[in-house]
Amino acid sequence: MRGSRRGLEAPRRIIEPVIDLPSDLPRLRVLETWHALWLDRVRRKIAEVEIREAGRQRAPAARPPAPDWLLERGLNGEPAHVHHGDCWKTRGSGRIRGIDRDQALRALADGVAACGTCRPDAELGYLEG
């Protein structure tokens, strides 16, 4: 009774690789075809992965620069807040769009509230008037 007592393991089976090829031509041709098909499949996958990796390396360079200012729209679609471009309160919101400095100043002048966290009005030098 092998392996039934504690500490004894069943003997390991050694699997030797098969290195002999068939000696007849039809079976050799089948193996050749099978390996050629797999080699083509592997090469196509390599090309696909290379294209995907090249796209990932190009992607950061292709992105436009982050905007300096953001305009947040409320649920009603009207402008609600002006934010600095890296304000954490805007992350994940789908109601944000980038604006330039002049648009941010114009929005503040039109009565759109400045974010109380990032204080874009202070950085823009906007004085309520």
Side-chain angles (χ1 to χ4, degrees):
M1 230 169 31
R2 290 185 189 156
S4 63
R5 288 187 284 178
R6 201 176 271 217
L8 293 179
E9 295 181 16
R12 294 184 185 180
R13 290 184 358 178
I14 298 174
I15 300 174
E16 294 182 19
V18 178
I19 56 173
D20 292 334
L21 293 172
S23 59
D24 60 303
L25 189 57
R27 287 192 295 169
L28 286 170
R29 293 288 186 202
V30 167
L31 286 173
E32 178 186 36
T33 302
W34 185 83
H35 283 286
L37 291 172
W38 268 101
L39 185 57
D40 287 343
R41 187 175 177 191
V42 168
R43 286 179 175 156
R44 281 193 309 268
K45 188 66 173 184
I46 288 171
E48 178 185 315
V49 170
E50 286 175 341
I51 289 169
R52 187 173 55 233
E53 290 298 318
R56 284 186 189 151
Q57 291 173 0
R58 275 193 317 266
R63 284 189 198 125
D68 291 332
W69 311 102
L70 301 170
L71 181 66
E72 177 184 7
R73 296 196 175 273
L75 294 176
N76 61 0
E78 296 296 319
H81 293 95
V82 175
H83 297 271
H84 191 273
D86 60 359
C87 180
W88 65 269
K89 290 179 84 174
T90 62
R91 293 190 185 126
S93 175
R95 300 183 319 261
I96 300 292
R97 72 175 177 92
I99 56 177
D100 62 26
R101 179 181 176 82
D102 291 338
Q103 291 170 317
L105 285 168
R106 196 172 317 118
L108 291 171
D110 290 343
V112 178
C115 172
T117 302
C118 64
R119 302 297 308 188
D121 50 346
E123 190 166 339
L124 285 165
Y126 178 77
L127 301 173
E128 291 182 33

